[in-house]
DNA sequence: AAATATATACGAAGGATTTCGTAGTTGCAA
DNA sequence: TTGCAACTACGAAATCCTTCGTATATATTT
């Protein structure tokens, strides 16, 4: 599966959060969320290309086509994360996490949540 | 400060690990490390553009110019991380970390190291 | 000194991504 | 039915990034 570009990812995020949607719906959403306006045909073209690439499915039975994401958000995030870790942290997930948590930007709640996750992962390890 | 592209980042990683270096040295390093060969003038051009952008300093006193990274690795990683978290995880560092640690790819040692970091961060919190 | 190797500079091509205008079609309302 | 609104299709420009060829200058070797 091809990795989505930045623009494609913005569209996928709408489809993941809202479910299957028309170009109009996606474009409205992007313009509500984003800083700078996106033209309708720009979004249309991108979504058509995404359909060609197999990133989205397209239901053309109605006049307004309905698009839906093919790959799940989690799967896609994992792929993008792997690539990012490779290019920026030499493949070290630990370095990435250290950098993400360091610098005083993480709140106590975030830290606690991550600690809980780690402890549950450690428990899993012992089970097997 | 502008974010480096993929190609620029590959060069910066050489400069960070080896210190100030000539185009020749960087290009050799890239060709030793990477999978596919990179032409000398390709590296040269990229490094010239990086100098124009202010990503690297250039000492032109000798015939072979010596380049050095302007921004530190940590600072640059933080910037790239912020951008990545925004585009891929909607700005949630926690989601990023959960995704990085989930999926059974993290070893017990990695988890332990990250847990230690979190605990030291939590201690810092209580100090203030 | 001449030939060879190595440097920088730079234009330009190629590919990927994004953006937009315009043409043509279909549904709906006056 | 006529006209307006909304949709798809598509070509093409604009931008960014990468790659490379070539011109030119400078060192090094023979």
């Amino acid at each position: 599966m091809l990795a989505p570009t930045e623009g494609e990812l913005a569209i996928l995020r709408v489809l993941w959060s809202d479910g299957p949607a028309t170009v109009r719906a996606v474009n409205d959403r992007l313009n509500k969320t984003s800083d700078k306006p996106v033209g309708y045909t720009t979004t249309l073209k991108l979504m058509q290309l995404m359909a060609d690439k197999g990133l989205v499915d397209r239901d053309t039975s109605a006049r307004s086509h309905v698009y839906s994401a093919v790959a799940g958000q989690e799967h896609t995030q994992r792929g993008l994360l792997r690539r990012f870790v490779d290019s920026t942290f030499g493949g070290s997930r630990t370095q990435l996490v250290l950098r993400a948590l360091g610098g005083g930007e993480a709140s106590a709640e975030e830290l606690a949540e991550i600690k809980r996750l780690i402890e549950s992962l450690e428990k899993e390890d012992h089970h097997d």
Side-chain angles (χ1 to χ4, degrees), chain A:
Chain A
M1 174 76 66
L2 228 58
T5 66
E6 287 274 312
E8 290 169 346
L9 187 56
I11 288 169
L12 286 176
R13 300 223 294 146
V14 173
L15 295 179
W16 284 324
S17 96
D18 293 8
T22 62
V23 173
R24 174 67 57 194
V26 170
N27 188 64
D28 286 354
R29 200 80 153 65
L30 290 178
N31 280 310
K32 231 168 289 177
T33 308
S34 149
D35 35 338
K36 82 152 180 281
V38 188
Y40 174 82
T41 57
T42 299
T43 303
L44 169 66
K45 179 71 156 189
L46 257 179
M47 291 176 75
Q48 286 172 340
L49 292 174
M50 290 168 78
D52 292 346
K53 291 188 193 172
L55 253 39
V56 294
D57 273 340
R58 170 158 70 161
D59 176 352
T60 62
S61 60
R63 186 159 91 101
S64 290
H65 300 175
V66 175
Y67 294 74
S68 52
V70 166
Q73 179 169 31
E74 187 170 326
H75 179 266
T76 302
Q77 285 175 337
R78 240 188 263 291
L80 291 171
L81 184 60
R82 174 176 303 280
R83 166 186 290 229
F84 180 67
V85 166
D86 284 348
S87 67
T88 304
F89 293 94
S92 165
R93 283 185 310 282
T94 303
Q95 277 303 307
L96 165 86
V97 172
L98 297 185
R99 203 61 86 211
L101 299 183
E105 299 191 72
S107 72
E109 294 80 35
E110 288 176 321
L111 293 179
E113 183 176 1
I114 291 163
K115 200 159 93 169
R116 274 196 300 279
L117 170 76
I118 290 176
E119 276 154 8
S120 79
L121 288 175
E122 285 173 335
K123 224 170 262 168
E124 263 182 37
D125 264 6
H126 291 312
H127 276 212
D128 306 340

